[in-house]
Amino acid sequence: MAKGNLQRCLDVVFPFEGGYVDHPRDPGGATNMGITFDVLRKWRGKPITKQDVRDLTKAEAEQIYARNYARPLHFDDLPIGIDLTTLDFGINSGVSRSARYLQAVVSAKQDGVIGEADTLPKVKTANPRDVIKKLCARRLSFVQSLKIWDTFGKGWSRRIAHMEATALSWVSSKSQLEADAKDARNKSAGQGTVAVGTGAGGVGIDQAAGAPVGILLVVVAVVAGVFIVRAVINGQRAKALAEAAANQA
């Protein structure tokens, strides 16, 4: 990778992938450093066991990330910051999906293949801060739609917040990051207020009139829950952005 940013990005990714896990609700099954059983089997081209996954070295994991994820995503051709958010999305949710979502952000043809004729020119001329924010927002919406969100959601949203903040720190000034953190804090506070208001009966008397009590309570709980989740997510973003700003020269 001529640009020389892959190792820098992997150093950000690895802490979130962790070591060996085999969670019963994770469709990837046995996984180590983000490399699933099937990915490792295909990479080695022969039958493997869970012990092989457990014994995977960081050096081999980095080779897999470089060949199977960075290369098809044209990592080395992506601008700094956008490369991190696109790569991490691809590692976590699939290369084709990451490419399609990036293409949607820059209004390119959404075929899941990043190419020099359409996607890359649009990515390179776009505002990197806007692309990073929009791609992370779309990624968050995607993972929230998954059935296993309740199990893994808090970790996913924290990871996305960290990737967004780190990527932005590479293309932003300290004052820009501070403003981003303030905006996220304000959103979190506002959403928390709405959640409390809804839980206290803020659905509205006119809307509630005539509705069965059971249904009304469910509606109130659902609406309040949505705003609580949003408040938590923006709280995570605020924290990550504030930390990035504090570390900025």
Side-chain angles (χ1 to χ4, degrees), residues 1-10 69-71 73-88 102 114 120 123-124 128 132 167 170-171:
M1 295 293 175
K3 189 174 62 178
N5 205 42
L6 181 59
Q7 190 60 56
R8 184 188 190 191
C9 290
L10 290 180
Y69 298 91
R71 181 178 293 182
L73 284 170
H74 278 258
F75 175 91
D76 202 41
D77 296 316
L78 296 174
I80 298 291
I82 297 174
D83 54 3
L84 171 62
T85 50
T86 304
L87 177 66
D88 189 64
L102 175 63
I114 295 177
L120 287 175
V123 171
K124 290 178 179 179
I132 291 166
W170 295 349
V171 296

Side-chain angles (χ1 to χ4, degrees), residues 97-116:
R97 179 174 289 107
S98 178
R100 291 198 310 273
Y101 279 54
L102 175 63
Q103 290 168 330
V105 167
V106 298
S107 299
K109 181 181 178 182
Q110 297 176 47
D111 58 5
V113 180
I114 295 177
E116 298 179 0

Side-chain angles (χ1 to χ4, degrees), residues 20-41:
Y20 179 81
V21 292
D22 191 10
H23 197 287
R25 293 206 65 193
D26 187 344
T31 303
N32 194 1
M33 290 176 283
I35 305 300
T36 66
F37 184 95
D38 283 343
V39 167
L40 184 60
R41 177 179 56 79

Side-chain angles (χ1 to χ4, degrees), residues 168-190:
L168 286 173
S169 73
W170 295 349
V171 296
S172 305
S173 65
K174 186 180 184 72
S175 61
Q176 285 176 314
L177 291 170
E178 291 172 338
D180 292 331
K182 181 179 179 180
D183 180 61
R185 279 195 301 272
N186 289 340
K187 287 180 179 178
S188 179

Side-chain angles (χ1 to χ4, degrees), residues 198-221:
T198 301
V203 170
I205 299 299
D206 292 338
Q207 293 173 316
V213 174
I215 294 177
L216 180 58
L217 290 175
V218 170
V219 171
V220 168

